[in-house]
Amino acid sequence: MPIDRISHLVAQAPNENPSRRQSFYRTFVQFLCSNLGLVIIVVAYSIGGAFLFILLEQYIELQNCQEANLLENVSVSNISESMFNYVSISTDSNAVMYDQIESYLENFTSDIYERRSDFRYTGQDCETTSGWSFSSALLFAITVITSIGYGHITPVSWEGQITCICYALIGIPIFLLCLANISSILGDMFRFMYSTFLHFMCCCCRVYMRNRRRKQRRLKGTSYNDHFSMGYVGKESIDPNWPEAAQQHNGERLSDEEYDLDEDDENEMDDVWTRMESRVPILVVILIIIGYVCVGAFVFNRFEGWSMVISVYFCYITLSTIGFGDYVPGITSGSTDGLRFLANCLYIVVGLAVLAMCFDLIKESIVDKFEWIGQKFGVVQQEDDLVDNDFTRYANFQYSQQSSQEKINSPPPAYEEPVAEGGWFKDIKDKHEPLRDKISAASDKGIKNKHEPLREKTSVASDKVIKSKHEPLREKASTASDKQVKEKNEPLREKFSGSSDRYIKNKIEPLREKVSIASDKY
């Protein structure tokens, strides 16, 4: 029957789509879990949070600003009218008038502070000025997920406050995970750069030392060749008939391989190089932190007009996630306030990654220092120097049992030296071999005690399963075999019975007749 190709292809399409979708989703999730994916998630989360807080808080801010502006106009009108009426009508002395006007001004000042605390109104233009601009909202979102919290703007409505709690609850772990990955990458890059720099410096030192050693050996060879000159009087240390003497006498230079450094010197320099490139010194890490803080202080000094002390103070308070909020870039109005906000956001994110990298490097250096101190005082042992305490005590016991003459002839057991044919190693083996046999026997006995009941239960269960499965089959096979035998043997039995009856009748009948005749005669 011919197959419809179009219907066949259309029918196979739904079976392929789920697998493609699953592979696409799997690839997408793997990309999001990568370092680049986490960075994109943090950036998108910050930008989305900025737009979300603008949507929730900008309208409330506009309402509060307009209400505070109206109250300010009413307060100004009231104090102006009251002061004018009092001055024009009152006949009090100047001192009394001064006290009354001062009370009016104090009431007006208290109204200003009240409007500032309740409505966060500082006399700005409500139509053109907003604290929830995109750059300011982005800085607020970044300070939330980085736990800095300047406090220059905060959500006022209950919707914005609940949203801020949920936003921080999700954003802080994501940012910390991204920060850990970025700091590890930066740490690897800095270790590579530092080790490359040290390798370059070590190579330069090796070349310099090799050239210097060659020059010294050439000078020694030249002074030795002077022994064969005309002005030398003395005994020759080398036979002039030897080729080496002829070579030195003719002024030929030795090969460069003969002037190389000794193997011990090379190994010593390799050890020094390995120790130097293993960890970054703490001093270098501290210089990195100081340099980044100074660069940020210079930038904010140029952009914000702060002094260098204030700029350094702001950079350190920001990078340490303290975030007092007394100095915030972009607060002062200007044409570059948005650029200053964005520059501060970038400085915060990169600075926290650099600071986390520096803390990791400092932690590694401190751990190495404590391990080195512990090894010096014998508190911590190296992996190569770890010795079984039982073997050590037993070896010392065997050594103490020897006579004084044997102790003089045989040195005490040294832990660093291999003892392949030593007597005390054999004694240790003899001591621990019975213990090993006992442990092996006990483990075999325990395994047998545990597994024997399980083996019996398994055997009984398997017999039951086999019996329940094969008993009906055995009965069916027996019935079928009986029926088959009966069907085959029944015709043969009938044929055999008929033939046997005829045979008996033919043989017996004459004898019966003869017997009957004989009996009659008798």
Side-chain angles (χ1 to χ4, degrees):
M1 182 178 179
I3 299 174
D4 190 1
R5 296 182 179 274
I6 297 176
S7 62
H8 181 68
L9 293 175
V10 172
Q12 293 294 330
N15 295 328
E16 295 177 359
N17 287 333
S19 61
R20 291 183 179 179
R21 289 178 181 176
Q22 290 178 0
S23 62
F24 172 75
Y25 292 152
R26 189 182 300 107
T27 305
F28 183 71
V29 170
Q30 290 177 357
F31 172 74
L32 291 181
C33 294
S34 62
N35 295 327
L36 181 60
L38 288 174
V39 172
I40 293 174
I41 288 174
V42 170
V43 173
Y45 193 77
S46 301
I47 295 174
F51 282 110
L52 180 62
F53 286 111
I54 288 173
L55 180 64
L56 293 175
E57 295 296 328
Q58 197 171 39
Y59 180 71
I60 303 297
E61 183 192 21
L62 181 60
Q63 285 184 343
N64 293 335
C65 183
Q66 291 176 352
E67 184 178 356
N69 190 10
L70 180 61
L71 293 175
E72 183 183 21
N73 294 330
V74 172
S75 179
V76 170
S77 299
N78 290 334
I79 192 173
S80 299
E81 185 178 357
S82 299
M83 290 179 65
F84 177 77
N85 293 332
Y86 178 75
V87 171
S88 60
I89 298 173
S90 177
T91 58
D92 296 334
S93 61
N94 293 332
V96 176
M97 291 178 63
Y98 180 81
D99 294 335
Q100 188 65 30
I101 292 172
E102 186 178 1
S103 64
Y104 288 150
L105 293 177
E106 288 178 356
N107 293 331
F108 181 74
T109 304
S110 63
D111 292 338
I112 292 174
Y113 286 119
E114 184 178 357
R115 286 191 296 272
R116 182 177 180 179
S117 61
D118 294 341
F119 302 100
R120 300 184 180 182
Y121 177 76
T122 57
Q124 70 272 16
D125 189 2
C126 299
E127 301 296 332
T128 58
T129 304
S130 176
W132 289 99
S133 61
F134 175 74
S135 56
S136 181
L138 181 62
L139 180 61
F140 171 77
I142 291 177
T143 55
V144 168
I145 63 176
T146 56
S147 69
I148 295 176
Y150 284 141
H152 62 293
I153 52 173
T154 53
V156 178
S157 62
W158 66 270
E159 297 92 346
Q161 293 172 354
I162 297 297
T163 304
C164 183
I165 294 173
C166 299
Y167 185 80
L169 190 64
I170 299 173
I172 291 176
I174 296 175
F175 179 77
L176 291 178
L177 181 61
C178 179
L179 185 65
N181 292 337
I182 294 176
S183 64
S184 64
I185 294 173
L186 291 177
D188 295 336
M189 292 174 60
F190 185 76
R191 291 189 192 95
F192 175 75
M193 295 172 60
Y194 181 75
S195 62
T196 304
F197 175 75
L198 288 182
H199 188 249
F200 174 76
M201 296 300 295
C202 288
C203 289
C204 293
C205 293
R206 285 183 178 181
V207 172
Y208 173 75
M209 294 298 294
R210 187 178 291 112
N211 293 332
R212 183 178 178 182
R213 188 68 62 85
R214 287 175 181 175
K215 290 180 180 179
Q216 292 178 356
R217 293 190 177 182
R218 287 194 183 101
L219 291 175
K220 291 181 180 180
T222 305
S223 63
Y224 185 77
N225 290 333
D226 291 340
H227 295 175
F228 300 96
S229 61
M230 296 297 295
Y232 175 74
V233 178
K235 185 178 180 181
E236 297 177 354
S237 61
I238 300 178
D239 190 357
N241 296 323
W242 291 0
E244 291 81 358
Q247 182 182 6
Q248 293 180 359
H249 181 70
N250 295 330
E252 296 178 0
R253 295 191 307 170
L254 298 176
S255 63
D256 293 336
E257 295 180 355
E258 297 176 1
Y259 290 109
D260 288 339
L261 293 175
D262 296 333
E263 185 178 358
D264 296 337
D265 296 337
E266 292 286 344
N267 294 332
E268 184 178 357
M269 295 185 69
D270 290 337
D271 294 338
V272 173
W273 150 245
T274 304
R275 290 195 301 270
M276 290 177 64
E277 73 172 354
S278 59
R279 290 289 182 265
V280 181
I282 298 178
L283 181 60
V284 177
V285 178
I286 294 175
L287 291 177
I288 293 173
I289 298 175
I290 294 174
Y292 191 81
V293 170
C294 292
V295 169
F298 177 76
V299 171
F300 288 113
N301 186 353
R302 298 296 300 271
F303 276 104
E304 298 293 333
W306 297 338
S307 63
M308 286 300 295
V309 176
I310 294 176
S311 300
V312 171
Y313 165 77
F314 166 77
C315 291
Y316 181 77
I317 294 299
T318 299
L319 295 180
S320 60
T321 66
I322 297 174
F324 289 136
D326 48 355
Y327 293 99
V328 179
I331 294 296
T332 58
S333 61
S335 59
T336 60
D337 53 352
L339 181 61
R340 288 180 287 171
F341 270 118
L342 295 177
N344 188 25
C345 295
L346 184 63
Y347 181 78
I348 289 172
V349 174
V350 177
L352 290 176
V354 172
L355 202 65
M357 176 199 74
C358 294
F359 286 159
D360 290 339
L361 297 176
I362 291 174
K363 181 192 70 175
E364 292 176 358
S365 300
I366 291 175
V367 169
D368 289 342
K369 293 295 183 183
F370 275 103
E371 289 182 355
W372 179 79
I373 293 172
Q375 292 173 5
K376 291 296 183 182
F377 285 97
V379 179
V380 180
Q381 293 181 350
Q382 296 181 0
E383 295 181 357
D384 298 336
D385 297 336
L386 293 176
V387 182
D388 193 346
N389 294 327
D390 188 29
F391 285 1
T392 304
R393 287 195 297 269
Y394 187 69
N396 292 329
F397 172 75
Q398 290 292 326
Y399 181 76
S400 63
Q401 296 298 319
Q402 296 178 1
S403 62
S404 59
Q405 186 65 28
E406 291 177 350
K407 289 182 180 180
I408 295 173
N409 296 330
S410 62
Y415 307 139
E416 291 81 11
E417 297 178 358
V419 187
E421 299 178 355
W424 67 280
F425 184 77
K426 183 178 179 181
D427 294 335
I428 291 172
K429 184 177 180 181
D430 296 336
K431 176 187 174 183
H432 289 276
E433 193 66 32
L435 295 176
R436 186 181 296 109
D437 295 337
K438 291 181 181 179
I439 293 171
S440 178
S443 62
D444 293 338
K445 185 177 180 180
I447 293 170
K448 186 176 180 180
N449 295 332
K450 288 183 179 179
H451 291 281
E452 192 66 31
L454 295 177
R455 187 182 295 110
E456 294 177 357
K457 292 181 180 178
T458 305
S459 177
V460 173
S462 62
D463 293 339
K464 289 182 180 179
V465 172
I466 292 171
K467 187 175 181 181
S468 61
K469 288 185 177 179
H470 292 281
E471 191 65 31
L473 296 177
R474 186 182 294 107
E475 293 178 357
K476 292 181 180 179
S478 177
T479 305
S481 62
D482 293 339
K483 186 183 291 184
Q484 187 176 5
V485 170
K486 185 176 181 181
E487 290 176 355
K488 289 184 178 181
N489 295 336
E490 190 66 29
L492 296 175
R493 187 182 292 108
E494 293 177 355
K495 291 180 181 180
F496 180 76
S497 176
S499 60
S500 62
D501 292 340
R502 286 195 299 270
Y503 177 78
I504 293 169
K505 187 177 182 181
N506 294 330
K507 293 286 186 179
I508 305 276
E509 191 66 29
L511 294 174
R512 186 183 293 120
E513 291 177 356
K514 291 179 179 181
V515 171
S516 178
I517 294 169
S519 63
D520 292 339
K521 287 180 178 182
Y522 179 74

